[in-house]
Amino acid sequence: MTVAIVAGSDAGHAFPALGLATAFLEAGDEVIVYTGERWRTAAAERGIDLRPLPGLAARPDEDDDDAGAKLSVRAARMALELAPELAVSGVDLVVSDVITIAGGWAAELVGIPWIELSPHPLYDQSCGLPPIGAGMDVGVGVRGRLRDAALRAMARPSVAKGIRQRRAAREGIRLPAESVPVARFVATLPGLEMPRPDWPETAHLVGPLLFEPTAAVFDRPAGDGPLIVVAPSTAVIGAGDMGSMALAALADLQASRPLRVVYSALVPPEGERVPDGLVAGTARQDDLLSDADLVICGAGHGMLAKSLLAGVPVVTVPGAGDQWELACRVRRVGCGRLVRPVSQAALAEAVVAVLDEPSFGRAARRVAATAAATVDPVAVAHDVYARVVADADRSGRMGACV
């Protein structure tokens, strides 16, 4: 079949889309990825047909910092621009990033089935969890359950506002108030998920969808000390000073113990003090992690999942958004330390603690082992599409075009 995958241009969303596209290509499907043009070269090197996502850039009259507008009004505009592209490209199935919901809406406009892709744990609010984003574990006992219920009630008005915005935007382009994908892909490790009593029936844990934007590999620093990877967040919500502060902390630690350090990022490191023998650049992280003893990262899901899938413990310096939630989950599982507020002394202490305590590595390897409980997203997509076609044959139509 021909699959269109739609995602924004941020690496945390574009890379999982490109990773999924690679899997579809390997299965013999045709794939078009609609995302930012900055990844065109990397996609072309993998044989992926990348096309610019229509309407991705904010217009002068649009507030790019208004999350509600991006997830509703702007999504509706983008859906109207993308729908004709899907219609003339012979697309059979659309996979739309959970944030870039214009892909799913455009699919509905032209009567194409679509799958929602969450490139991180499932962030739907659950009746059995505290509010997602708070970083809290499930309350224990009567008081804990009452606490969680009270916190969910406090968050309910904001959730309801978002639902109203989305319904109004969909009705503005003549779509039903509710969008219902035929399936949902949750691209994380089961070990990073929180058990919930209301897991959606159509949601499938497919494991992290990884993509390396380059074929280059890192040279390993000389020496025989532990190999530490510093990987600053690629997201605008990341802790901006994490990279330079981590390098300075590691330079201090080298005075008392041998350390080898690699700085893995899309842009060069900043800061005046760096560890001796530092290797820095952009190269394959999966290859590097096979030798790593510790990763210092910003708690974005992409680098976290990649590190834990390799069984490498982490020190997290979370920024805003979901990074706090993920960093807290890592801390509770026991496969890393959380540092916030960040300082050189706090980072150095966390690095020493993780390197010197084997339990962190054991916990990371336990999380890695949960990958065995995931399912193949391509196989699920084929199965879902076959059912949609069978239902359409029985009803005599694939979908209602608007």
Side-chain angles (χ1 to χ4, degrees):
M1 59 187 175
T2 299
V3 182
I5 305 176
V6 181
S9 61
D10 287 348
H13 295 270
F15 285 3
L18 292 167
L20 181 59
T22 302
F24 274 115
L25 284 176
E26 291 173 350
D29 296 306
E30 295 184 11
V31 186
I32 305 168
V33 176
Y34 291 95
T35 186
E37 291 192 82
R38 62 186 293 203
W39 309 117
R40 184 184 294 276
T41 299
E45 290 173 351
R46 309 302 195 282
I48 299 172
D49 180 3
L50 186 148
R51 302 180 189 179
L53 176 57
L56 182 58
R59 292 179 175 175
D61 61 340
E62 293 176 336
D63 184 358
D64 207 33
D65 295 325
D66 186 340
K70 289 175 83 170
L71 290 175
S72 54
V73 177
R74 191 161 153 198
R77 170 180 65 78
M78 291 173 62
L80 290 174
E81 297 182 46
L82 178 60
E85 293 252 357
L86 299 179
V88 301
S89 297
V91 172
D92 300 304
L93 178 71
V94 171
V95 180
S96 185
D97 182 89
V98 67
I99 295 297
T100 319
I101 56 177
W105 293 10
E108 292 181 53
L109 285 171
V110 294
I112 300 173
W114 69 283
I115 294 172
E116 181 186 83
L117 169 61
S118 296
H120 45 57
L122 184 65
Y123 289 155
D124 289 6
Q125 184 55 59
S126 168
C127 66
L129 300 177
I132 301 297
M136 303 171 69
D137 201 355
V138 179
V140 177
V142 174
R143 288 186 178 181
R145 290 193 294 273
L146 288 174
R147 180 208 67 181
D148 290 351
L151 291 173
R152 288 194 299 270
M154 292 171 63
R156 202 167 290 133
S158 294
V159 175
K161 179 182 177 181
I163 293 173
R164 289 194 301 271
Q165 287 178 320
R166 185 169 298 196
R167 286 176 174 173
R170 286 176 56 83
E171 290 170 357
I173 57 174
R174 297 187 179 182
L175 286 176
E178 301 295 337
S179 60
V180 182
V182 294
R184 303 174 70 183
F185 289 164
V186 182
T188 193
L189 288 162
L192 284 177
E193 271 294 355
M194 294 182 68
R196 57 174 71 207
D198 48 2
W199 183 267
E201 184 180 351
T202 59
H204 305 269
L205 273 168
V206 300
L209 298 170
L210 306 181
F211 180 82
E212 298 290 341
T214 175
V217 296
F218 281 104
D219 293 329
R220 299 329 191 237
D224 56 2
L227 178 60
I228 299 177
V229 177
V230 180
S233 175
T234 60
V236 295
I237 61 171
D241 57 351
M242 186 273 280
S244 59
M245 198 167 292
L247 293 179
L250 295 172
D252 288 343
L253 282 176
Q254 281 184 330
S256 59
R257 59 169 64 203
L259 295 175
R260 297 178 297 149
V261 182
V262 174
Y263 186 92
S264 173
L266 297 173
V267 296
E270 297 179 354
E272 298 179 357
R273 298 187 61 248
V274 299
D276 293 337
L278 174 70
V279 172
T282 302
R284 294 189 67 97
Q285 292 176 327
D286 56 353
D287 172 78
L288 177 64
L289 290 170
S290 65
D291 294 329
D293 296 284
L294 170 66
V295 172
I296 303 175
C297 61
H301 180 264
M303 194 63 206
L304 266 185
K306 192 180 294 186
S307 302
L308 296 176
L309 191 61
V312 181
V314 296
V315 169
T316 63
V317 184
D322 68 340
Q323 293 192 8
W324 174 254
E325 174 73 31
L326 290 169
C328 289
R329 292 188 185 191
V330 165
R331 179 176 59 183
R332 289 199 299 270
V333 171
C335 53
R337 288 280 297 270
L338 187 161
V339 177
R340 198 167 83 170
V342 62
S343 68
Q344 290 185 32
L347 274 171
E349 188 275 331
V351 167
V352 170
V354 174
L355 289 177
D356 290 351
E357 175 50 63
S359 65
F360 290 102
R362 290 195 296 268
R365 291 188 289 275
R366 286 197 298 270
V367 173
T370 65
T374 61
V375 298
D376 177 8
V378 174
V380 173
H382 279 236
D383 180 61
V384 167
Y385 181 69
R387 293 203 305 269
V388 169
V389 171
D391 290 343
D393 288 343
R394 284 192 294 270
S395 64
R397 63 187 180 91
M398 176 64 82
C401 297
V402 174

